[in-house]
Amino acid sequence: MADTSNSVLFDAPGPKGRRTIRIVNWIAGILFAVVLVLILMRLHNPPDGENQLSWELWKPAIEREAWTDFYLPGLWMTIKATVVAVVGAVVFGLVFGVGRLLPNPLVRGVSAVIVEFCRAVPVLLLMIFFWRWFAFAGLPSPSYWAVVLALVLYNGSVVAELVRSGVGNLPGGQREASLALGLTETQSLMEIEVPQAVYAMLPAAVTQLVVVLKDTALGSIIMYTDLLQESRRLGSMYFNILQTLVMAAVIYFVACWLLSRLAEWLPSRMQQRTAEPVAPIAAGDPSNVNQIAVAKELEELPFGGAPRKYHVHHRGTNASIRNWQRTRYEQGYDATQPESQVDPETGEFQESQKPEDKPEA
């Protein structure tokens, strides 16, 4: 049977469509190669300037001193601002995201105004405003805290919307069931709905890390010594600003690529840690997994080919096959039968109760 999982939203192309796609891809590849060659030719022989592909310009941008004195210190300042901004944005987003969901209209309205304001104002404008404010107030490291606070406000508003949308996408029956059990709307929100929303929004929140990392480059405008600012300083020293900016772009690309891989790995990891629900099975249903497990146990014929007289483990008629051998068989348990005296944790017989140790009649 053909796999139609990738053609749910659109029809799979036929032979003519695939041929057209191949032709378009070849044309796009050729055009890209031509543009790349033209760019390299212009860099090699600019109309008014020095050859930008010469080794004399690239050597200061990739040598050891450039990494130890400029790139790595700048990268550390970028990561430092990113980590602090991410932690602050998560706290900000949880507080105001939950605030927009509370039944109190005053709290909900104030939270909505704050979140919408932080989303509407550009990040660079926030940075400049806080930088001037902190500088006039005489605070230490005004550019650093201006970058962090601006990123916290903007990205925190995004996290708040993720929380609100995550709770809104949950089945409505969960809140109805919690209210039927006697919980208030606030208790249902904090104890049942928000934890599920936070768990579901983790992949999107990790993707937002890429945005935070890249937005730290805006801090170079307010003289924050991040990776971009250090690269510009190095280029000003050796008059090779193009080469140093290319190296900074490569470092940004590698860091963002690693975060993107983390965002792709996290959902699969979360699915592995999530238990799949098992539908209940009637006692007389021939597909009962416990009966299948018992039949499989008898087919194995342990202890030299002798079938067991008592089943060692059991989980009931509505049991799941998963980990069923770790629980003790309650029905038919006989202390005089070594076959039923098995350690529920290891699944092994005790040394003094192995069948081969029984005295012969």
Side-chain angles (χ1 to χ4, degrees):
M1 182 180 293
D3 185 13
T4 60
S5 59
N6 295 326
S7 59
V8 176
L9 301 179
F10 58 90
D11 295 333
K16 185 177 180 180
R18 289 194 295 268
R19 184 170 60 253
T20 303
I21 292 175
R22 286 196 298 268
I23 294 174
V24 172
N25 289 338
W26 274 104
I27 294 175
I30 294 173
L31 290 177
F32 177 79
V34 171
V35 172
L36 181 61
V37 170
L38 292 176
I39 293 175
L40 293 177
M41 290 175 60
R42 175 54 64 93
L43 292 176
H44 180 268
N45 188 20
D48 297 319
E50 188 177 359
N51 178 15
Q52 297 297 315
L53 300 181
S54 64
W55 176 246
E56 288 76 12
L57 293 177
W58 281 97
K59 181 180 178 181
I62 61 177
E63 60 184 1
R64 181 175 178 274
E65 288 75 10
W67 288 92
T68 57
D69 298 339
F70 294 93
Y71 295 136
L72 293 182
L75 180 61
W76 164 244
M77 295 300 293
T78 297
I79 295 175
K80 180 182 176 181
T82 301
V83 172
V84 177
V86 166
V87 174
V90 170
V91 175
F92 181 94
L94 289 176
V95 171
F96 289 96
V98 173
R100 298 195 67 177
L101 298 170
L102 291 176
N104 190 318
L106 178 61
V107 176
R108 190 170 60 248
V110 172
S111 301
V113 170
I114 294 176
V115 170
E116 294 300 330
F117 175 81
C118 294
R119 289 179 61 192
V121 179
V123 181
L124 180 57
L125 184 60
L126 290 175
M127 289 183 182
I128 296 175
F129 174 78
F130 288 124
W131 176 53
R132 301 296 296 177
W133 181 20
F134 294 156
F136 283 130
L139 296 179
S141 304
S143 59
Y144 168 75
W145 291 112
V147 170
V148 169
L149 188 55
L151 293 177
V152 165
L153 294 181
Y154 176 75
N155 294 280
S157 64
V158 175
V159 174
E161 287 301 298
L162 290 176
V163 173
R164 188 170 69 93
S165 62
V167 172
N169 292 331
L170 293 176
Q174 297 196 20
R175 172 170 291 189
E176 296 174 359
S178 61
L179 296 178
L181 292 174
L183 298 179
T184 63
E185 293 186 7
T186 303
Q187 290 175 334
S188 173
L189 181 66
M190 300 300 298
E191 299 179 11
I192 297 177
E193 300 172 56
V194 171
Q196 297 182 68
V198 171
Y199 189 76
M201 78 172 191
L202 283 179
V206 174
T207 305
Q208 192 66 21
L209 291 177
V210 179
V211 178
V212 179
L213 180 65
K214 293 190 297 184
D215 285 349
T216 55
L218 297 174
S220 61
I221 299 178
I222 59 174
M223 307 308 294
Y224 178 60
T225 56
D226 64 334
L227 176 59
L228 179 58
Q229 180 69 11
E230 292 294 286
S231 302
R232 293 171 60 184
R233 288 179 54 198
L234 178 61
S236 300
M237 292 176 57
Y238 294 96
F239 300 99
N240 59 346
I241 188 67
L242 175 64
Q243 288 73 18
T244 57
L245 290 181
V246 169
M247 293 301 301
V250 171
I251 297 173
Y252 276 116
F253 173 79
V254 172
C256 294
W257 180 82
L258 293 176
L259 290 176
S260 300
R261 298 287 78 77
L262 176 62
E264 293 179 0
W265 169 83
L266 190 59
S268 60
R269 180 63 177 175
M270 291 167 57
Q271 292 177 0
Q272 294 177 1
R273 296 177 61 88
T274 303
E276 298 181 358
V278 180
I281 304 176
D285 195 329
S287 64
N288 191 301
V289 292
N290 184 70
Q291 299 177 10
I292 297 174
V294 172
K296 182 179 180 182
E297 178 187 348
L298 293 178
E299 289 175 358
E300 292 175 357
L301 297 179
F303 314 125
R308 298 178 181 175
K309 298 180 180 179
Y310 295 89
H311 306 304
V312 182
H313 299 289
H314 183 64
R315 284 190 65 179
T317 57
N318 293 334
S320 170
I321 191 64
R322 191 180 294 108
N323 296 329
W324 73 281
Q325 290 184 337
R326 294 187 180 181
T327 56
R328 184 181 296 275
Y329 183 69
E330 299 293 344
Q331 300 177 4
Y333 180 84
D334 189 351
T336 63
Q337 294 294 328
E339 292 87 346
S340 64
Q341 299 174 9
V342 178
D343 187 356
E345 296 295 332
T346 63
E348 302 292 338
F349 285 91
Q350 300 180 11
E351 293 295 331
S352 60
Q353 296 176 337
K354 291 184 178 179
E356 57 267 26
D357 295 336
K358 294 191 299 182
E360 297 182 358

